[in-house]
Amino acid sequence: MKTRVFLVAALMLAALSLSPKTFAADITVSDAWARATPPKAKSAAAYLGLKNNSGEADQLIAVKSAIAKKTQIHRTSMENGIMKMGRVEGIDVPAGGMAMLKPGGHHVMFMGLKQQLKEGSHFPLTLVFAKAGEVTAMVKVMKPGGMGHHHHH
Amino acid sequence: MQRRLMILALLAALAVSGAALWTLNRSVPVANPSVNIGGPFRLVDHHAKPVTEADFRGRHMLVFFGYTYCPDVCPTAMQTVSEALDMLGKEAGNIRPVFISVDPDRDTPDVLKDFVANFHPSLTGLTGTPEQIKEVANAFRVYFGKVKPEGAEADEYLMNHTAGVYLMGPDGKFLTLFSHNVPPEDMAAKIKKLL
Ligand SMILES: [Cu+2]
């Protein structure tokens, strides 16, 4: 019974969704956002949630975009009160689990930004997974001081 | 209680980094790194106007060291400061929030001007010569160092740096240190108590 309710709900959600990737995709991307940047900014960061709908562990291994010379997977870490930010090999997305890219932790780093990120605009970001392959998400540009406090509907 | 422990841990970490800095740079000897935080400085603000510590006396100061090329922790910390000031309302008028760049090569007053425009209207961005930045960082026991990732172009380096928000008294004396990821409401409540 419970499964049936769940299935119906899932089907309704799928039907309602405008995004085709919700259909049976192994990886779902949610709430992809980036902070708006000042006009001449040379860097930016994007954040998002990853949900692995498959029964197999996966890993985000690369990121691609047209908005910057370099698009990389980064992590910010603190050691003895000192902030360090650097590139990481990948981000694990456990089977049936989530991985969150959020301020102060993992993020998609854009270096050599080619365009200003203006509040309210969107840009495509391609995420490459070891198993699920490429998934493209639209990143929403939020206000410059934004923290990504999303309202969940 | 937990917060007190966290502040103690932060101060200990600060003492360690201060001590490390001291061994690196003996030109600024430090008697007790955990106590003497702050001191005189000569810098320029985001309007390219020269300023010293004297320009900030008489009001509390919230000081963060960072660099504008950092798209993650630095804007997040500045957002926290901005939100805390908004929560303090009128009392925020007694506080001068300051962002001091540890990346003077890229952070010119113009670049800082664009950066501070994203946050609380009272935020001042400060930069200076590499020598001046070294001095003010030493005074605050702030560590910073350039990191050039493999394959990065000359202007694509990153900075490791101490990331905390210092609350200084109207006399320039150190009052407390906030972790870079403190919730804004906690920062506002603590500041209110210390004003
Ligand atoms: Cu980064």
Side-chain angles (χ1 to χ4, degrees):
Chain A
M1 182 56 203
K2 244 192 186 157
T3 347
R4 188 166 301 169
V5 171
F6 175 77
L7 273 174
V8 169
L11 278 171
M12 279 170 68
L13 266 175
L16 279 170
S17 171
L18 296 170
S19 160
K21 65 180 182 284
T22 341
F23 291 103
D26 285 344
I27 298 277
T28 326
V29 182
S30 57
D31 289 342
W33 69 281
R35 274 194 197 92
T37 61
K40 285 163 278 175
K42 297 203 170 68
S43 73
Y47 308 95
L48 45 91
L50 298 173
K51 169 98 177 64
N52 185 347
N53 308 305
S54 79
E56 263 186 299
D58 207 341
Q59 193 184 34
L60 175 68
I61 50 170
V63 280
K64 299 192 269 188
S65 85
I67 66 158
K69 282 195 255 173
K70 292 193 177 81
T71 306
Q72 303 175 341
I73 309 168
H74 272 216
R75 190 171 84 101
T76 299
S77 59
M78 293 290 293
E79 276 169 49
N80 293 329
I82 295 165
M83 187 211 71
K84 299 181 175 184
M85 174 173 70
R87 203 172 175 177
V88 291
E89 289 291 311
I91 300 172
D92 291 327
V93 196
M98 306 261 317
M100 299 300 295
L101 284 76
K102 52 179 193 237
H106 282 116
H107 53 275
V108 175
M109 177 87 177
F110 305 99
M111 298 172 78
L113 203 59
K114 292 181 193 162
Q115 65 187 69
Q116 183 186 6
L117 300 187
K118 290 190 176 146
E119 185 180 349
S121 67
H122 292 78
F123 64 89
L125 171 69
T126 300
L127 307 158
V128 186
F129 296 89
K131 294 189 181 123
E134 295 197 355
V135 178
T136 296
M138 288 309 282
V139 179
K140 186 178 185 195
V141 181
M142 315 281 276
K143 71 178 168 105
M147 301 277 271
H149 292 155
H150 284 277
H151 302 282
H152 291 277
H153 304 284
Chain B
M1 186 57 206
Q2 236 183 0
R3 194 168 311 153
R4 189 165 295 172
L5 272 176
M6 207 171 82
I7 288 170
L8 274 174
L10 270 169
L11 280 172
L14 203 67
V16 170
S17 54
L21 197 68
W22 180 64
T23 40
L24 282 176
N25 189 350
R26 282 171 191 275
S27 62
V28 187
V30 176
N32 186 345
S34 64
V35 179
N36 294 320
I37 293 169
F41 57 79
R42 300 164 129 263
L43 297 165
V44 290
D45 70 9
H46 61 271
H47 301 294
K49 190 179 111 208
V51 292
T52 72
E53 76 286 354
D55 295 303
F56 296 89
R57 292 290 179 267
R59 276 194 270 176
H60 285 71
M61 235 180 146
L62 268 176
V63 187
F64 181 83
F65 287 81
Y67 65 115
T68 69
Y69 191 85
C70 152
D72 185 45
V73 164
C74 300
T76 305
M78 287 307 94
Q79 181 61 18
T80 299
V81 166
S82 303
E83 282 183 25
L85 292 175
D86 282 344
M87 288 171 191
L88 285 165
K90 260 192 187 163
E91 284 174 286
N94 297 318
I95 302 162
R96 293 286 301 275
V98 175
F99 178 92
I100 303 181
S101 174
V102 293
D103 183 15
D105 291 343
R106 283 182 299 194
D107 285 339
T108 60
D110 262 0
V111 171
L112 280 176
K113 197 175 176 181
D114 280 347
F115 179 77
V116 300
N118 294 327
F119 305 102
H120 198 274
S122 66
L123 180 62
T124 299
L126 299 179
T127 186
T129 65
E131 207 41 55
Q132 289 171 330
I133 294 299
K134 219 179 274 174
E135 275 172 36
V136 67
N138 278 354
F140 280 83
R141 312 289 172 261
V142 161
Y143 164 85
F144 66 98
K146 259 187 205 182
V147 182
K148 201 162 164 267
E150 220 177 295
E153 280 165 48
D155 62 346
E156 285 179 351
Y157 58 88
L158 305 172
M159 307 286 301
N160 290 343
H161 63 92
T162 307
V165 182
Y166 299 76
L167 178 66
M168 312 298 287
D171 53 358
K173 289 234 168 68
F174 170 79
L175 293 178
T176 194
L177 174 65
F178 298 99
S179 157
H180 74 287
N181 56 4
V182 63
E185 51 275 17
D186 291 8
M187 180 183 268
K190 184 80 185 273
I191 291 172
K192 205 164 194 163
K193 250 189 248 169
L194 291 170
L195 275 185

